[in-house]
């Protein structure tokens, strides 16, 4: 998907933007340490690194500024496929994760 | 998605059942603009904030809010961020934090209509009543 990294469409931005932000190993460890200290998680395993399709669809649907609605798993999956093709998302088992390029696209 | 961070939810719940008092946050709180949606597991240090030149969390005092009514509370005074002087950010959400930068609690978070912030636009502004937090 040429140009995706700099020209995210709104639906792509909403799907990508509802994945946990990419972090390198050091950033990941720092985030977990902070979340444990503040108390938003009680164990390191609770820190999200990705989301399942069902969880992501629920989150995007709950975003009242998104055009996607609950039950649109297939549409979200198709958008994730496009984002994967563009290198902005990667799949790890059942979970979709934001890549470094994905974060760069959202913060550019 | 929107709401409170997990940590704040637990503090409020324990306060409501008279188990542990939740100390009111010190005014002002600080409103952050984010380019990645905030999650309930986030803290004020883990959110992905706008990074345009001139960006900083905007202080919001307790007196900047109207009285809560009908399950919601909204800003009684306009909230205007510092102007963007260079680069751009596409903002998709907000977080109301207890700190002006870095670590702290997220009192509330939510999404916004996507907004490209650049030097050619007027500063980000929430008009009176535009920033609402619900408790339904």
């Amino acid at each position: 998907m040429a140009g995706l990294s700099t020209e995210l469409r709104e639906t792509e931005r909403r799907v990508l933007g509802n994945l946990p932000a990419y972090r390198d190993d050091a950033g990941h460890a720092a985030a977990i340490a902070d979340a444990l200290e503040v108390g938003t998680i009680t164990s390191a395993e609770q820190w999200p690194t990705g989301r399942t399709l069902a969880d992501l669809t629920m989150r995007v649907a709950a975003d009242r500024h998104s055009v996607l609605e609950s039950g649109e798993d297939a549409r979200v999956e198709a958008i994730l496929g496009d984002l994967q093709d563009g290198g902005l998302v990667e799949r790890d088992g059942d979970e979709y994760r934001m890549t470094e390029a994905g974060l760069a696209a959202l913060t550019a | 998605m929107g709401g409170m961070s997990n940590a704040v939810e637990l503090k409020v719940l324990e306060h409501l059942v008279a188990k542990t008092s939740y100390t009111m946050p010190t005014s002002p709180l600080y409103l952050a603009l984010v380019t990645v949606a905030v999650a309930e597991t986030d803290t004020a240090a883990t959110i992905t904030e706008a990074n345009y030149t001139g960006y900083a969390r905007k202080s919001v005092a307790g007196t900047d809010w109207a009285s809560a009514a009908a399950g919601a509370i909204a800003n009684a005074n306009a909230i205007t961020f510092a102007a963007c002087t260079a680069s751009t950010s596409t903002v998709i959400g907000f977080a109301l934090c207890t700190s002006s930068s870095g670590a702290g609690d997220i009192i509330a978070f939510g999404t916004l209509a996507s907004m490209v912030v650049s030097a050619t636009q007027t500063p980000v502004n929430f008009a009176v009543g535009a920033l609402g937090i619900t408790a339904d």
Side-chain angles (χ1 to χ4, degrees), chain A residues 10 13-14 17-19 21 23 31 34-35 38-41 46-48 51 58-59 62-65 98 103 106-108, chain B residues 1 5-7 10 35-37 39-43 45-48 51 88-90 92 103-105 111-114:
Chain A
E10 177 62 10
R13 182 176 299 280
R14 290 287 162 178
N18 273 284
L19 289 173
R23 287 181 167 81
D34 186 65
V38 172
T40 59
I41 59 174
Q46 292 175 336
W47 181 256
R51 303 217 183 276
M58 181 271 293
R59 286 173 182 275
D63 177 351
R64 68 188 185 95
H65 297 285
M98 186 188 300
L103 180 62
L106 289 173
T107 56
Chain B
M1 292 290 286
S5 75
N6 285 341
L10 297 179
T35 58
V36 175
E40 60 279 4
T41 49
D42 272 314
T43 73
T46 67
I47 54 177
T48 305
N51 58 1
T88 67
S89 292
T90 302
I92 66 169
D105 270 333
T111 57
L112 301 168
S114 293

Side-chain angles (χ1 to χ4, degrees), chain B residues 4-60:
Chain B
M4 304 175 195
S5 75
N6 285 341
V8 172
E9 283 179 350
L10 297 179
K11 290 173 186 173
V12 170
L13 286 171
E14 290 191 352
H15 181 90
L16 290 175
V17 299
K19 177 178 173 63
T20 307
S21 289
Y22 176 39
T23 304
M24 187 170 77
T26 302
S27 179
L29 297 175
Y30 295 87
L31 187 63
L33 302 174
V34 298
T35 58
V36 175
V38 180
E40 60 279 4
T41 49
D42 272 314
T43 73
T46 67
I47 54 177
T48 305
E49 293 185 72
N51 58 1
Y52 59 81
T53 305
Y55 170 76
R57 292 178 190 172
K58 174 63 181 172
S59 63
V60 183

Side-chain angles (χ1 to χ4, degrees), chain A residues 59-100:
Chain A
R59 286 173 182 275
V60 174
D63 177 351
R64 68 188 185 95
H65 297 285
S66 170
V67 297
L68 297 168
E69 298 177 0
S70 60
E72 292 199 281
D73 296 56
R75 193 170 170 205
V76 172
E77 190 170 25
I79 293 168
L80 284 167
D82 288 344
L83 293 168
Q84 265 187 283
D85 291 345
L88 308 187
V89 164
E90 61 187 9
R91 190 166 183 177
D92 182 9
D94 290 340
E95 287 196 333
Y96 291 90
R97 294 182 178 177
M98 186 188 300
T99 64
E100 187 173 9

Side-chain angles (χ1 to χ4, degrees), chain B residues 75-129:
Chain B
N75 57 314
N77 296 319
I79 301 168
T80 305
F81 283 76
C84 171
T85 56
S87 70
T88 67
S89 292
T90 302
V91 171
I92 66 169
F94 71 89
L96 190 60
C97 305
T98 57
S99 57
S100 59
S101 64
D105 270 333
I106 294 175
I107 301 299
F109 64 89
T111 57
L112 301 168
S114 293
M115 170 173 41
V116 179
V117 183
S118 74
T120 61
Q121 296 164 316
T122 55
V124 174
N125 175 67
F126 291 87
V128 172

